[in-house]
Amino acid sequence: MKRTIVGVAVVAGALQLAAAPAQAAPKIDPVQALTAELAPGKGVNVQATAKVTYADGGYITSALDGTVEFDARGARAADTSQNLRYSEKLLAKMTKVSPEETEALQQSPVRVLSSGATSYVSGAVVEDALPEGTSWVRYGRTDVPSGNLVLDVFEPATLKALMKHRSSWSGGVVKGSIKPRELAKVSDSFVARYGAGWKKSRAGKVTYALHLSPGGLVERVWARGELPYAKSPLKVESDTRYTEWGRQITVLLPLRGEVIDQPEVKDEAPTQVPALWS
């Protein structure tokens, strides 16, 4: 945020800027570093935490641990373990609407295999719904998790926008803020999660910090989004760490005989993937 400074501070600030411009051209290019990693068979380890807070104060927290496989466009597939936790206020509200599903959703962790628009879920949350011989419930219309609920730094266009909207870059840490409408113009994952309406909205704000390796790869991304969602304030905070960039990985999906589709067990399994990242 820019501030008006008067008196001696103005002179001192002007001298500092003249001596060492804050936005001097860097020697590394994070977007170029990312695109060099986006190739089939390559991937990265991901660890993340997130908190989603609703207008009434109820909230969900979640943790993710796993690996993401790339293709030339970004995240292609993922193998993750995820935990969900609900505040008492949110649990009470959910229980009034769907008591059985709410009870099931509290059973964590779950393992989620994601590929394209399909996710496979196993764990106690779906265990009772599985016919003999099956181990996974398949869900459609999902996304491959990037590890951050707000910013997908595996999308070159998104990373480019974050670098453009930075307010500082010092010691390998890039800080800045961006309007959701600007993010929606470049990030397919943001639109998939929060809707295309943000492209025309002037509301909301996303604040972020990117921690870069000496070579320019993102090692950590912290983001906080203030998103008036469905006319109610929604706050999303997500903190993600990436390690072992370039590791060889192939996410193996379940065999057809091990899988049952969610509509076939709709009364016994959650209607949506029981995870924030999906």
Side-chain angles (χ1 to χ4, degrees):
M1 179 182 296
K2 295 182 179 179
R3 298 180 180 179
T4 302
I5 306 175
V6 296
V8 177
V10 172
V11 178
L15 291 174
Q16 289 178 348
L17 289 172
Q23 298 298 325
K27 294 182 179 180
I28 60 174
D29 183 348
V31 179
Q32 186 176 25
L34 170 65
T35 55
E37 296 294 324
L38 299 183
K42 297 179 69 174
V44 68
N45 295 338
V46 181
Q47 288 185 312
T49 58
K51 182 177 182 179
V52 179
T53 305
Y54 298 94
D56 63 358
Y59 61 86
I60 304 173
T61 60
S62 185
L64 172 147
D65 189 356
T67 56
V68 176
E69 179 188 350
F70 298 138
D71 60 17
R73 295 180 297 177
R76 190 199 76 81
D79 182 349
T80 60
S81 175
Q82 303 187 36
N83 283 277
L84 278 177
R85 294 289 182 269
Y86 303 86
S87 68
E88 291 185 5
K89 177 178 286 189
L90 186 56
L91 275 176
K93 187 175 181 179
M94 292 167 58
T95 301
K96 290 181 181 179
V97 178
S98 180
E100 292 184 0
E101 184 160 335
T102 299
E103 182 179 355
L105 287 172
Q106 295 180 68
Q107 301 183 59
S108 288
V110 297
R111 185 181 177 193
V112 183
L113 300 178
S114 305
S115 179
T118 304
S119 290
Y120 304 81
V121 176
S122 69
V125 68
V126 297
E127 196 172 73
D128 291 341
L130 295 171
E132 186 175 352
T134 60
S135 304
W136 303 85
V137 175
R138 177 165 55 191
Y139 290 80
R141 302 180 66 182
T142 64
D143 297 301
V144 177
S146 67
N148 195 280
L149 286 187
V150 185
L151 302 176
D152 186 347
V153 294
F154 298 153
E155 296 175 329
T158 298
L159 185 56
K160 182 177 181 179
L162 298 179
M163 298 306 298
K164 177 181 178 181
H165 285 83
R166 70 183 187 270
S167 57
S168 66
W169 185 349
S170 177
V173 179
V174 176
K175 295 182 179 181
S177 64
I178 185 171
K179 286 289 186 180
R181 64 172 177 168
E182 297 299 325
L183 193 54
K185 292 177 183 178
V186 297
S187 176
D188 291 339
S189 65
F190 184 85
V191 171
R193 185 175 295 276
Y194 299 105
W198 284 105
K199 293 181 179 180
K200 299 180 180 180
S201 174
R202 293 182 177 275
K205 181 181 180 181
V206 175
T207 305
Y208 59 89
L210 309 176
H211 297 249
L212 305 177
S213 72
L217 291 170
V218 178
E219 294 183 323
R220 180 182 180 185
V221 53
W222 170 88
R224 179 187 289 130
E226 297 176 8
L227 310 171
Y229 191 66
K231 298 183 180 181
S232 297
L234 178 70
K235 294 183 180 179
V236 183
E237 185 169 345
S238 195
D239 191 356
T240 312
R241 297 175 185 270
Y242 303 101
T243 58
E244 291 191 52
W245 280 93
R247 61 166 294 184
Q248 298 299 305
I249 178 174
T250 300
V251 175
L252 299 177
L253 301 179
L255 299 175
R256 181 64 189 94
E258 301 174 328
V259 175
I260 188 165
D261 290 318
Q262 193 279 333
E264 298 181 55
V265 289
K266 60 182 179 181
D267 295 329
E268 301 177 69
T271 54
Q272 297 181 334
V273 178
L276 284 182
W277 287 274
S278 63

